[in-house]
Amino acid sequence: MKIYKPEWHCTFTVNEAAGASSSWRERLAWRIRRWADRLDGKGRTVTIECNIEPAVTEEEVDNCLVKGFEVTHSLLNQLAQQAACEDVMRDAKAELFEQGPPR
């Protein structure tokens, strides 16, 4: 009887700057991206590298990225809600947040 073993490989990298071993072209491209981010002042540039074997379609990769950003949005909303609640609590019950001597 033959035993079948599925094999796959996936790497996913998100970068916000050129790496230490980057070529001069990559470093220049990142410098231009930083300038563009400063000019419009609205966002943040990242690059995403995804290598998958066996290959999947670009549409499937895009769908996964969209779902991932939806999860990120949800997590950021939760963080914002927690920060807002803490701000209200610090205002309403400041004594709970006062730093006293350790016990």
Side-chain angles (χ1 to χ4, degrees):
M1 180 164 96
K2 185 173 182 177
I3 297 175
Y4 293 92
K5 181 182 172 191
E7 293 185 22
W8 67 92
H9 178 76
C10 179
T11 58
F12 185 83
T13 308
V14 178
N15 294 308
E16 288 187 280
S21 63
S22 297
S23 69
W24 69 268
R25 288 179 184 193
E26 290 175 272
R27 289 192 306 272
L28 177 61
W30 275 107
R31 183 165 290 141
I32 293 169
R33 288 181 184 110
R34 282 195 306 273
W35 290 339
D37 286 346
R38 277 191 235 141
L39 281 175
D40 66 14
K42 295 180 184 176
R44 177 177 187 166
T45 299
V46 296
T47 61
I48 299 172
E49 292 178 37
C50 187
N51 299 306
I52 304 171
E53 292 176 24
V56 296
T57 67
E58 192 170 322
E59 183 180 350
E60 290 170 319
V61 172
D62 292 346
N63 286 336
C64 288
L65 290 172
V66 168
K67 288 177 184 178
F69 284 116
E70 288 170 354
V71 170
T72 300
H73 181 247
S74 173
L75 292 171
L76 291 171
N77 265 325
Q78 288 177 21
L79 283 173
Q81 180 183 16
Q82 290 169 4
C85 289
E86 185 174 322
D87 286 348
V88 168
M89 287 298 295
R90 282 183 186 277
D91 188 49
K93 295 287 186 177
E95 66 274 8
L96 295 175
F97 295 90
E98 291 176 359
Q99 296 294 324
R103 294 183 182 188

